[in-house]
Each structure stands twice: as C-alpha cells, then as structure tokens.
Amino acid sequence: MGGALAMLTAASCSIYAPSLLEAGASGHSSAGATSQSGMSGTTGDAGTGDGGGAGEPGASGSSGVGGLAGVGGDGESGGTTGAGGRSSSAGSSGNSGTGGAGSGGTTSIGGRAGAGGTAGAGGTAGTGGSSGSAGAGATANGCAKLSVPLDDAADKAHFVISLTSAVDLSNATISMHLYVRAGSGGSIFNYVQDSGTYRFFGVPPAQRAALSSLSGWSTITWAVGAQADSGTTGIVKSSIKNIGIEIGAQPSTSWTNPTIVYIDSIAVTTPASSYTFDASSSVYPTPTTTSVSGQALWINGGATDTTAVGVTLSWQATCP
C-alpha cells in the first residue's frame, strides 16, 4: 500500500469554466449531450467520472492443525484460504519422529502472502503462501468510504483526485480496488478531466460496472489511453489533471439507500502512479466546487456533479 497522503486545504480558485458548460455538463468540463457522468447513455463532455484502483492482495489461509500423535510428528500444512483469510501458520509439533514440513496456506485470489509456518517438532519450517490478484475476501489497511443515497434515476455523485501536476495518460490504464458494501442498483465507473478546461472523458455507458455485479474486494480497470474519444469531448489525454469516480443510479430503477462503496486504492500505469487511502489525510470530507490539493479524494459538490442529496465521504482504518 502506498504511503500516507498529506491533505491540504482546498484551492481558492474554481476549476469550473462557465464558457465550457452546456446542458447536462459538469462543473469541471464543457457541455455534453448528457450530464458529466454520461448517465443518459451517452458520455457527456462535462463532469467527472470514476478513477480506477489498484488490486490489493488478500491474506493467506487460516492456520492448520498440528501433526497427529504417533504419526511421525508431521506438521499439517496451513489451510488454503477460501477468501483471502488470515495468514496461515505451520502445523503444531507432533510427537517425536521424523518431522514433517508444514506449509503456509496458499492465498486466495486477492490474498496477501501468507506468513511462513513454524516448524513442528523435528519438522521443516513451512513456507509462506503466494500472493494473487484481487478477489473476494481480501482486506485493506485504511480506505475511503463513499456513501451515496440513491432513490431517483437522476441521482449521482462525483469524487475526485486532483493531481499535483498534469500527467500524460495517452497510453495509460486506470485500476480501482473497491468493495461494494451496499449496492443493489446503479453503476460505478472511472473518468478523467484535462487541465484548464476540465473536459470530461469517462468509461462508455455499455462498459460501466453495475454495482450489483461486484462481490467482495474487486478491481475494475479502464484502458483510458486506448479508449477512443467520440469526437465530442475534445479531451487532451496528454494533460490530465483530475481522476474521478462516479456512483450513479443509472441504468437501474431500484437501489440501496444509501449505496456504500469502500475504495482502497487507485493505480495508473504509464506513467506508473498509485493513490492509496492509508491515512485520514487521504480524503477531504467537505463537499466543495474547487480542487483540493494534496491529491486527497474530495466530493465535487457542484450542482450538476453531485445531484444525490446527503452524499458523504469519510476515512476509516478498518475496512471489510
């Protein structure tokens, strides 16, 4: 996980350029056919969208039971994790005899490496489990909690990371590691905005992840560099200033209220960078309409960016 991010106060100037806004546009970008989230089915030029996050490995399996008495003192191997469980340990020591080698549990998909097993009596020390890709049951050390009351088809919320300086994402992929605590309807997707004009460029509607399809810790990925511009946004991928997340009610007709999503990290390739939420300073909980410094996650409170009422953003040390 990345190091703690220093949170600074919000910048004094608005990131909105009124001349760029049209009907359905976000406060950060020029107008599009739909709102900045592109919730109507066509990605709008305006608004903010979702950034993606890095996969977090889960833990290895639960500790195994020690060797049976009178059976050569072999240590049992650590259990295989079903869902990124706690680190396994080697089997307890058996009676005297030829010691067996206890092994740490293999991690589940998304599991963190298991701890090495302790040798049983006369046994060989167990080996740690191997790490895997993100999956159900993995854990996180610190995360941002996004709570969005969804009870209308037009509801949505935008959460933004304003980069210290513009970066070239022409060949980049964005990944977001997240956990849907409550989300029977709606979608979550990634977006970026360029510097100066804050034009909106997000995941196409047909590719947006349905919240109900995500179980446990999951990673959603968007090849922002490879995604073709429809020709209406004019996004400048070589000068990206904002990476964002949109949680919205579309295309569903019923929802969980509030919808709750935990974000562990957002990672970018080419150039490689990672934005983690290991400390409270990594989130700015007060809705605002101006960029927040320090690359902390913040709520875009603009009238066309966040339409859901009662949206909150917080940090917690203990995650699912």
Side-chain angles (χ1 to χ4, degrees):
M1 301 291 293
L5 302 175
M7 181 186 75
L8 303 178
T9 58
S12 61
C13 59
S14 174
I15 60 175
Y16 291 93
S19 62
L20 298 170
L21 300 177
E22 298 176 11
S26 83
H28 288 206
S29 57
S30 60
T34 65
S35 64
Q36 34 187 212
S37 65
M39 299 299 292
S40 64
T42 301
T43 304
D45 301 341
T48 56
D50 304 322
E56 181 73 14
S60 62
S62 304
S63 36
V65 180
L68 299 174
V71 189
D74 288 339
E76 290 285 330
S77 61
T80 299
T81 60
R86 298 181 178 81
S87 301
S88 65
S89 61
S92 305
S93 60
N95 292 337
S96 59
T98 302
S103 61
T106 302
T107 60
S108 66
I109 293 178
R112 292 187 179 134
T118 304
T124 304
T127 58
S130 58
S131 60
S133 59
T139 59
N141 294 325
C143 56
K145 180 182 178 181
L146 286 55
S147 179
V148 183
L150 297 177
D151 59 11
D152 184 86
D155 285 343
K156 63 183 176 182
H158 285 166
F159 303 87
V160 187
I161 293 176
S162 296
L163 306 180
T164 301
S165 58
V167 297
D168 184 354
L169 298 187
S170 300
N171 298 301
T173 294
I174 295 175
S175 298
M176 179 168 60
H177 194 210
L178 72 162
Y179 184 102
V180 179
R181 169 64 78 187
S184 59
S187 62
I188 184 168
F189 66 93
N190 315 96
Y191 75 85
V192 295
Q193 289 178 291
D194 52 15
S195 60
T197 53
Y198 295 97
R199 286 169 286 208
F200 173 87
F201 185 72
V203 173
Q207 298 176 24
R208 295 171 185 175
L211 289 165
S212 61
S213 70
L214 302 173
S215 176
W217 282 104
S218 306
T219 299
I220 58 176
T221 302
W222 176 39
V224 56
Q227 180 64 48
D229 188 358
S230 63
T232 60
T233 73
I235 188 75
V236 180
K237 294 181 183 178
S238 61
S239 184
I240 298 301
K241 193 65 167 62
N242 285 348
I243 297 174
I245 305 163
E246 177 174 311
I247 294 177
Q250 290 289 338
S252 306
T253 57
S254 62
W255 312 271
T256 303
N257 189 356
T259 290
I260 299 174
V261 178
Y262 295 95
I263 306 295
D264 172 44
S265 60
I266 295 173
V268 178
T269 63
T270 319
S273 56
S274 181
Y275 310 95
T276 60
F277 304 99
D278 294 340
S280 59
S281 59
S282 62
V283 303
Y284 185 84
T286 305
T288 182
T289 57
T290 57
S291 295
V292 172
S293 59
Q295 300 184 150
L297 186 67
W298 55 282
I299 304 171
N300 186 337
T304 58
D305 287 272
T306 295
T307 58
V309 177
V311 174
T312 63
L313 172 63
S314 59
W315 180 86
Q316 58 186 56
T318 302
C319 306

